[in-house]
């Protein structure tokens, strides 16, 4: 029915091949990450970077069987632990000579208050800081292999977010719904500042881009931490995208030929979408960048 078609939203029409190219997708053992991996595995080599190796292997073998592509590889990555992120990057750089597309897809949502191994609030730590560090560690390899793309999965929820520099880790005041919104705003600001830094001579010559996206409201495991949301998701599942429909904009940002030189943008349903005023604030973006570097103990100029 047309209502269902409307819910499904935009579809990635690109048939671009990725022969000889390498894609990393974080959190690709379930939900939209898995569907993104399934699609891209029909085009080229995919590395599934996940915390749960057993789940990731199950997803990878299903995708290998379905696509006939044996180049679907699982590597361990726990975004809630900077040691694990550094180990993943070190191992990847030693084993793989190429990297063309990095899809920062993994995320947590509505967690009860908790901290990462490094003492970061869980939403900010996994959704923003973990991917910030991962991107930093893989950036040189992406540059060497340009044209390259970085795709950050954000959310419409960024409209409800603000970067609370005075209480980044929610120690004074914590609301798990808002914590998710804050982290998704951080994704948008990170993308914006990253694109700005990649621009200039290098980006124009090489087509090195960074874009963010809203996948849509997707029926997936992401709401598992909330009984109420899980219940609502079940009731309204007809009005939610399937993971396959939700993956379309990620796939679009990763492969669509018309985005070869488009950078620093935010997409939804495979087209440019409205970004909140806070998500367009360059001063906050710059400040978040330097605070993130400080927290992670890195120098990224």
């Amino acid at each position: 029915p047309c209502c269902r078609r409307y819910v499904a939203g935009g579809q990635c029409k690109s048939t671009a091949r990725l022969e000889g190219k390498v894609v990393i997708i974080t959190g690709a053992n379930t939900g939209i990450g898995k569907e993104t991996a399934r699609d891209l595995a029909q085009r080229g080599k995919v590395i599934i970077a996940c915390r749960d190796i057993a789940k990731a292997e199950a997803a990878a073998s299903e995708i290998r069987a379905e696509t006939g592509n044996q180049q679907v590889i699982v590597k361990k990555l726990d975004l809630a632990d900077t040691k694990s992120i550094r180990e993943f990057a070190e191992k990847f750089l030693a084993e793989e000579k190429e990297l063309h597309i990095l899809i920062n897809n993994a995320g947590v949502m509505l967690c009860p208050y908790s901290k990462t191994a490094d003492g970061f609030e869980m939403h900010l730590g996994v959704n923003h800081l973990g991917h910030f560090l991962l991107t930093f560690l893989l950036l040189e390899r992406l540059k060497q292999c340009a044209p390259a793309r970085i795709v950050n999965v954000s959310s419409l929820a960024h409209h409800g977010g603000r970067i609370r520099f005075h209480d980044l880790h929610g120690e004074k005041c914590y609301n798990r719904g808002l914590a998710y919104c804050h982290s998704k705003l951080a994704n948008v600001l990170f993308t914006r500042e990253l694109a700005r830094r990649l621009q200039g001579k290098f980006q124009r010559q090489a087509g090195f881009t960074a874009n963010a996206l809203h996948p849509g409201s997707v029926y997936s495991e992401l709401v598992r931490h909330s009984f109420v949301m899980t219940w609502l998701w079940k009731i309204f599942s007809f009005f939610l995208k399937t993971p396959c429909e939700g993956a379309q904009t990620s796939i679009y940002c990763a492969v669509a030929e018309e985005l070869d030189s488009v950078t620093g943008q935010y997409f939804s349903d495979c087209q440019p979408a409205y970004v909140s005023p806070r998500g367009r604030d360059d001063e906050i973006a710059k400040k978040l960048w330097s605070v993130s570097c400080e927290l992670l103990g890195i120098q990224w100029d």
Side-chain angles (χ1 to χ4, degrees), residues 1-294:
C2 54
C3 166
R4 188 66 210 117
R5 263 208 310 280
Y6 173 75
V7 169
Q11 238 188 336
C12 177
K13 304 273 198 295
S14 169
T15 54
R17 305 291 305 154
L18 298 173
E19 268 104 2
K21 298 204 165 178
V22 178
V23 184
I24 290 177
I25 310 174
T26 65
N29 58 356
T30 177
I32 63 171
K34 182 177 171 184
E35 295 307 321
T36 306
R38 194 191 304 273
D39 179 285
L40 298 183
Q42 292 167 12
R43 308 169 190 252
K45 179 171 181 173
V46 174
I47 289 166
I48 291 179
C50 291
R51 188 184 59 203
D52 187 328
I53 291 291
K55 262 193 183 173
E57 281 297 355
S61 61
E62 182 189 312
I63 292 169
R64 281 185 216 116
E66 198 179 300
T67 60
N69 179 3
Q70 294 313 300
Q71 297 278 59
V72 179
I73 294 162
V74 171
K75 291 188 192 288
K76 183 165 172 67
L77 169 67
D78 182 355
L79 287 157
D81 185 352
T82 57
K83 190 163 162 280
S84 169
I85 299 168
R86 289 180 180 281
E87 278 167 9
F88 167 86
E90 205 175 303
K91 220 168 162 183
F92 172 83
L93 295 170
E95 291 167 9
E96 303 284 343
K97 292 293 156 258
E98 308 273 315
L99 177 60
H100 304 86
I101 301 169
L102 171 62
I103 303 179
N104 290 319
N105 162 83
V108 294
M109 181 180 182
L110 303 173
C111 304
Y113 188 75
S114 57
K115 287 187 168 177
T116 67
D118 302 86
F120 309 140
E121 186 277 315
M122 192 59 75
H123 292 91
L124 187 80
V126 171
N127 299 355
H128 167 61
L129 292 168
H131 282 128
F132 187 93
L133 179 60
L134 180 67
T135 306
F136 167 74
L137 295 170
L138 299 176
L139 196 74
E140 281 312 308
R141 183 60 47 90
L142 283 158
K143 276 185 180 170
Q144 289 158 13
C145 299
R149 296 185 187 191
I150 296 166
V151 178
N152 294 325
V153 179
S154 178
S155 167
L156 185 68
H158 84 270
H159 286 274
R162 51 173 61 209
I163 307 300
R164 303 171 68 249
F165 290 108
H166 63 287
D167 187 23
L168 267 185
H169 304 296
E171 286 156 335
K172 298 188 184 115
C173 162
Y174 181 73
N175 172 300
R176 56 192 185 163
L178 288 177
Y180 177 71
C181 296
H182 303 333
S183 71
K184 294 287 116 179
L185 173 61
N187 293 153
V188 171
L189 291 166
F190 168 45
T191 306
R192 191 177 177 89
E193 181 62 8
L194 178 61
R196 190 186 70 77
R197 285 162 178 260
L198 293 176
Q199 263 172 331
K201 210 163 66 188
F202 173 78
Q203 194 264 337
R204 275 201 296 276
Q205 287 166 339
F208 190 179
T209 65
N211 290 299
L213 67 106
H214 167 55
S217 299
V218 181
Y219 191 64
S220 76
E221 288 179 24
L222 195 57
V223 294
R224 65 183 173 271
H225 290 293
S226 165
F227 171 75
V228 176
M229 288 290 277
T230 304
W231 186 70
L232 287 170
W233 248 222
K234 278 199 171 74
I235 294 173
F236 294 109
S237 61
F238 180 80
F239 300 102
L240 296 171
K241 292 185 179 190
T242 64
C244 179
E245 290 159 355
Q248 294 304 308
T249 308
S250 297
I251 298 162
Y252 174 76
C253 288
V255 302
E257 298 86 345
E258 64 267 33
L259 300 187
D260 276 346
S261 56
V262 173
T263 191
Q265 300 301 307
Y266 170 75
F267 294 86
S268 177
D269 281 327
C270 302
Q271 54 190 18
Y274 179 74
V275 176
S276 76
R278 284 196 191 105
R280 297 193 299 268
D281 189 321
D282 289 328
E283 287 318 301
I284 294 180
K286 288 189 182 83
K287 185 172 177 187
L288 177 65
W289 186 283
S290 66
V291 168
S292 301
C293 287
E294 244 168 80

